[in-house]
Amino acid sequence: VMSLTDQFVKRLGTYSPDLLDESGQMPDYREQVREVITPKFAADFDKEVATAEQLVAQGGITRTADVFATAVSSVDDDSARVLVAGAFTDSYQQGEGKQARTVDQEPLPFRFTVDLVMIEGEWLVDDFTPVSSPDEPGASEGSTP
């Protein structure tokens, strides 16, 4: 479950303009994420993926996900909850031609709770939720691990 959680976060949080097709979608990105999630979660993912595709198409955004740590919070025969901490790093192209340069943003730390379920003998991600720390009410994706 920890390995699958690591894969899920890296697949979900890693994309770039070279994944765009002629229609402005990222079919390979969609497929990579769908391979590790439940059909129920895929329906939600399909609604949200257009936002990432729009950022990539309009802003030339490249995002990479680094996972620092995973830990099993709970596990039984058919469900598990895993905590994961890491950072997303975004970059974008600025300028054209020889003047073009890549601008790297500061890494954005994240902490998620990832829920997994066993379906036909295979662990799949069923949902994930940003985690906030007790001293930061309302803190979410951008909170410090």
Side-chain angles (χ1 to χ4, degrees):
V1 294
M2 289 179 12
S3 174
L4 182 66
T5 299
D6 183 88
Q7 280 184 51
F8 163 71
V9 171
K10 287 178 179 173
R11 289 178 187 208
L12 185 72
T14 301
Y15 46 81
S16 64
D18 62 331
L19 294 173
L20 290 169
D21 66 10
E22 308 79 44
S23 68
Q25 293 187 337
M26 299 185 294
D28 291 343
Y29 169 75
R30 288 173 179 243
E31 182 59 31
Q32 288 176 22
V33 174
R34 281 193 198 112
E35 286 174 358
V36 296
I37 62 178
T38 64
K40 177 181 86 92
F41 186 30
D44 292 336
F45 170 72
D46 288 343
K47 292 176 193 168
E48 301 296 328
V49 71
T51 303
E53 290 169 338
Q54 189 175 15
L55 283 171
V56 173
Q58 293 178 355
I61 300 292
T62 295
R63 172 171 274 191
T64 56
D66 292 314
V67 173
F68 304 147
T70 56
V72 175
S73 172
S74 63
V75 66
D76 60 32
D77 290 343
D78 62 357
S79 65
R81 176 166 282 170
V82 177
L83 305 173
V84 59
F88 296 124
T89 303
D90 293 348
S91 62
Y92 61 93
Q93 285 297 120
Q94 188 174 50
E96 298 285 327
K98 291 184 178 183
Q99 302 293 350
R101 66 185 186 97
T102 300
V103 178
D104 293 326
Q105 304 289 88
E106 285 294 315
L108 178 65
F110 64 79
R111 289 179 296 173
F112 297 131
T113 299
V114 178
D115 294 316
L116 300 96
V117 294
M118 177 76 72
I119 297 179
E120 297 177 9
E122 182 180 12
W123 285 107
L124 294 171
V125 174
D126 196 43
D127 201 4
F128 74 102
T129 309
V131 176
S132 60
S133 61
D135 58 338
E136 299 175 44
S140 61
E141 194 173 315
S143 59
T144 305

